[in-house]
Amino acid sequence: MARVLTTCPYCGVGCGFYLEVVDGRLVGVIPSRSNSVSKGRLCVKGWHAHEPIQHPDRLRAPLIKKNGKFEEVSWDEALEFVAGRLKEIKTKYGPEAFAVCTSARCTNEENYLMMKFARAVLGTKNVDHCARTCHAATVSGLNQSFGSGASTNSYDELPFMDCILIIGSNPTEAHPIVGWRVRSAIDNGAKIIVCDPRKILPAESADIYIQHYPGTDIALINAMINFIVTQNLHNKEFIEERTEGFEQLWQVVKDYTPESVEGITGIKSSQIKQAAKLYAASKRSCIMYSLGMTEHIVGTDNIISMANLAMVCGHVGKEFSGLYPMRGQNNVQGACDMGALPNVYSGYQSVADEEVRDKFEKLWKVDLPSGTGLTLTDMMFKAIEGALKCFYIIGEDQLRTDPDTHMIERALGSLDFLVVQEIFLSETAKKADVVLPGASFAEKDGTFTCAERRFQRVRKAIEPISGKTDGDIICEISKRLGYVMESDPKKVCDEMASVSPIFAGVSFERLEGNGLQWPVPSKDHPGTPVVHLGKFRRGAGKFIPVKNKPPAEVPDKEYPFVLSTGRLLFHYNTGTMTTRVANLIREYPRNFVQINTTDAERLDIKRRQKVKVKTRRGELEVLAEITDKIKMGVLWMPFHFSNEPTNVLTNSAFDPVCRTGEYKVCAARIEKVEG
Ligand code: SF4
C-alpha cells in the first residue's frame, strides 16, 4: 500500500491527510499528525474524502450534445470542437463575448492557467469564480480597511485567545477542525460570544449568546462600538498611532446606542453592552466570521464594521487578535490569490495598473485587455441581455450554487456556447454544449491555499480517471488556439511566483513540510503568520463609517418569515461529492427546513411533516424540522441537495460593491402540504 500526503478537497480549513492507494485505487484516508492545520484530526467529510473519487458516476469521456443528447466522443474530437467554436465566437463577436469561471476546487496552478487562458488567449477581461458568491465581501471590505483582504492571523493562535467573537459563522458544522480549535480555547478558559439567529452548537457553551435578526449585523456592531467608546474602553493609543478616520466613524456610530438598536436587532441593550465590554476588555480578542456576514446586500459594509470594531479596540495587527474570515471552499483563497477575479492579476495586482499589465504582457508575450471585467453576478445578467455568448465554467455548479436558480437557468439558456469542465454531470453540466471530464484533487499535483493564507501541497495519488487533469485540458485547448502554455504544475507555480511579489518565495520545494503562509516576498522569507504587524498594508488602518440598511426583502403579510441558508457537517456545498458517500448521505439524505417550535404550533406544522416553502422566486416542498434553537419568525435551510434545490428560493439582490447575492435573508412563506 502507498500513502500519498495531500490536502483535503472540501472546506477552507485545509486539513492534511494521506490517501491510501492499492493497485492504483484509493482505499482510504489517514490523517497527518504532523500537519500544522489539522494536527492529526479530520472531520467526517475528510475521513471519507477518497470515496466519491472512484464513484461509478464519474465522467470518464468528453460529451458533446448532438440533437439535444450527449454523446461520448474522443478527447481529440472534443478539444478540436471546443477550440473551433471558441475561434468562431471570437471572430464573430470579439473577446468580450466570453466569460470564464474558474474553480475554487481546482489547484492554484490551474486557476493561474485559467486566468492566463482567459486574458492572454481568449483576450477577455471577464474572469471570476465562486468567491463572488461567498467571500468577495471580505476581499473588498478588508482591503478598504486594512489594505489586504484575507485572514489577519493563524489557527495556532485560537486556543490561546481570551475572547472569541463568532458572528455569522458555524465553525462546528462548516469548518469543524477550526471548531475544534475554538473548543480548545474554551477548555483553556476563553470567553465566547456567539451572534447568530440560530442557537448553533458553539452558542451552547458561549458566555454570551446574541440571537439577533438576520441582516441586522451593522446595527449590532455599531452599537457595540458606541458602548465601547462611551465607556472609555477604546484603545486610544492604537487609534492615534495606527489608524485614520476615527472622528468620521464616531459621527455615525454615536447615534447607534445599544438602546436605539433594540428594535432593529431584537436584542436587549444590556446584552449588547455585556458583549461589547467582554470583547473590548479582553487582552487577546479576535473575531471569527463567515458567510453569515458576507452574503448580504451589505456584505462589504458588514466586513468593514467588524474591521472598525477590531481597530477601535486595538484587537488587530498583533498576535492573538484579528479577524478570521472562514473560507468556504478548499481553495477559494487561492483562486482569489491567483487573480481569478475581474480586477486583479495574481497576487492582487490591479488590472488598472499599466506597469502591472506591461509586466504580464512581456511575460506572456501578448497584448492584454485593459480594464476591469464582469463579475460572475453581472455575467449572468449580460448573458440574459445577449451581450455574452460563451461561458467556460470549470468545477462550479451555478445552477445549484447561485441565488435565484430560475434566473441562472435563463442566463445559461441564452448562451450560444457553454463549456463545462466537471468531474460529475452536475445540473450546470447538463445544460452544456460540451462537457469535458476534469480530475479530482487525488489525480493531480499542485497547491491549495487555506483560510489562514497557507499554501499547501496537493499530490497525485492515482492517474486521472478521464486521462487528463484540468490543467492539461486548458493547455491543450490553448495550443489548438495557437498559444502554448506550460502545463507542468511545478513550472506553473514558479511562473506565478516570478510575477507575483507577495508570493515570490513560493515553490514546490519550499512547501514540503507544512507549507508557507503568504506574504512570502522572497526565497528566504519564512512566511507570515500574522499580517499588519506594526503597520497595516495600506499604511494607516482606515475607519469607514457604515450605516445599518435593511435587507433587500423584509417580511410582510404575504411572506411573513425571514429565510436564511447554510451548511451541515455531513455535506459540502451542492453535495456533488458528499451525497455520493453512503455514510454521509445516511445522516442527511434530503433537504429540510428548520422552524421555531412556537411558529410551528401556530401553523399546525408537525415534525417531519411535508411543508411548502415559498418566496417571490420559487417554491420547494421539504420536510419540517421543528426546533427552539431558531429565532421565531426565521426559517433556515441547508443547500446541499441537488434534487431539492434551496436556491430556487434565495434572492439574487446583490451587494453593490462586491456583487455577492443576498443568500442569507429573503422573505418567505411556509405552509403545510395536506395529505
Ligand atoms: Fe476537510 Fe474541512 Fe473537514 Fe478539515 S474541516 S477534514 S478541511 S472538510
Side-chain angles (χ1 to χ4, degrees), residues 126-128 132 342 373-380 657-659:
N126 305 327
V127 55
D128 204 0
R132 193 63 50 202
L374 296 172
T375 63
L376 201 51
T377 313
D378 294 307
M379 289 173 189
M380 296 301 169
V657 180
C658 69
R659 320 288 280 178

Side-chain angles (χ1 to χ4, degrees), residues 8 10-15 42-43 45-46 174-177:
C8 182
Y10 287 118
C11 84
V13 173
C15 298
L42 296 175
C43 81
K45 294 186 288 293
H175 304 97
I177 296 304

Side-chain angles (χ1 to χ4, degrees), residues 413-431:
S414 308
L415 296 166
D416 282 13
F417 190 50
L418 174 61
V419 185
V420 175
Q421 210 162 296
E422 255 299 355
I423 61 172
F424 291 103
L425 193 65
S426 66
E427 293 305 309
T428 303
K430 286 176 192 167
K431 302 283 178 200

Side-chain angles (χ1 to χ4, degrees), residues 141-158:
L142 294 187
N143 202 32
Q144 288 180 57
S145 300
F146 302 155
S148 165
S151 177
T152 60
N153 289 61
S154 299
Y155 303 147
D156 273 348
E157 294 158 60
L158 284 170

